[in-house]
Amino acid sequence: RIMTQKERGEVIFTGIGGGGVLLAGECVVQAARKAYEHLVWFPNYSAAVRGGPCECTVVFSDQAISSPVLSRVQTVVVLDPAQLAASEKRVRPGGTLIVESTGLTENAERRDITVIKVPALQQAREAGNVRGTNFIILGWYVGTTGLIDPALVEEYLATKFGGSAAALTSNLEAFRLGLAACAAAN
């Protein structure tokens, strides 16, 4: 989908551990800042439990954002399939649920949302970059919604990982792999 007019974007990235989930959200908000006037990146994680559930909400718009706390959003991206049941109720009717499907043992129950199953962990393993799972699924988010120019994400990745050619290369490859897989599926 090509963005013909600026729209409001709302996404929750959710998973276990923290780093990959929060970094995916950070990439979205940093890329969106070059295209949208108002932005919110609202991370939420349990400091009491290492490796516990975490999430971040990202909202970007040309209109003022009244609150970063939303009960339902356009898109929820689930990086840990064990969180599917808890996450699907957070998608607004007509919205999209993008879920890591490697190891997924259950299906979404709702019929009023679009569910996209992405074997990102499997793809990352095949590419030899398990740490790139979040960037593969980020590519799927960007490709599915069309709300952010992929070049803006790549520009931010170059800024974030510019000090390490290896990290930059592997993360860009993972992001592009997600974009390509999304384009091939549509």
Side-chain angles (χ1 to χ4, degrees):
R1 173 176 132 174
I2 298 174
M3 187 171 69
T4 56
Q5 64 181 16
K6 291 186 180 180
E7 300 175 40
R8 176 183 168 106
E10 307 165 346
V11 59
I12 295 173
F13 289 90
T14 182
I16 300 292
V21 172
L22 301 181
L23 183 55
E26 178 185 330
C27 288
V28 170
V29 77
Q30 292 297 333
R33 69 188 285 242
K34 297 210 174 186
Y36 295 88
E37 188 174 344
H38 301 278
L39 307 143
V40 173
W41 177 64
F42 185 69
N44 181 16
Y45 52 94
S46 172
V49 181
R50 184 179 176 103
C54 69
E55 67 179 42
C56 68
T57 301
V58 178
V59 182
F60 48 93
S61 176
D62 281 331
Q63 304 298 318
I65 299 167
S66 60
S67 173
V69 180
L70 303 171
S71 59
R72 289 187 162 186
V73 297
Q74 294 167 339
T75 308
V76 174
V77 179
V78 182
L79 281 93
D80 184 313
Q83 295 185 309
L84 173 64
S87 299
E88 76 174 291
K89 65 185 173 191
R90 300 181 72 192
V91 181
R92 183 177 298 142
T96 304
L97 177 70
I98 301 172
V99 61
E100 162 57 57
S101 64
T102 306
L104 184 64
T105 58
E106 57 188 276
N107 289 312
E109 294 181 6
R110 291 181 55 191
R111 300 292 172 239
D112 63 339
I113 62 175
T114 300
V115 178
I116 301 171
K117 296 178 182 177
V118 178
L121 178 58
Q122 176 184 334
Q123 293 172 346
R125 283 182 185 142
E126 291 169 1
N129 180 16
V130 176
R131 295 188 68 174
T133 302
N134 61 327
F135 291 111
I136 291 172
I137 219 156
L138 175 62
W140 274 87
Y141 168 75
V142 170
T144 298
T145 65
L147 295 171
I148 298 173
D149 184 338
L152 294 176
V153 175
E154 291 189 11
E155 185 179 309
Y156 179 68
L157 290 174
T159 300
K160 178 85 175 171
F161 297 103
S164 170
L168 176 58
T169 299
S170 67
N171 293 332
L172 280 173
E173 286 174 357
F175 176 67
R176 290 172 181 160
L177 177 63
L179 280 173
C182 179
N186 295 319

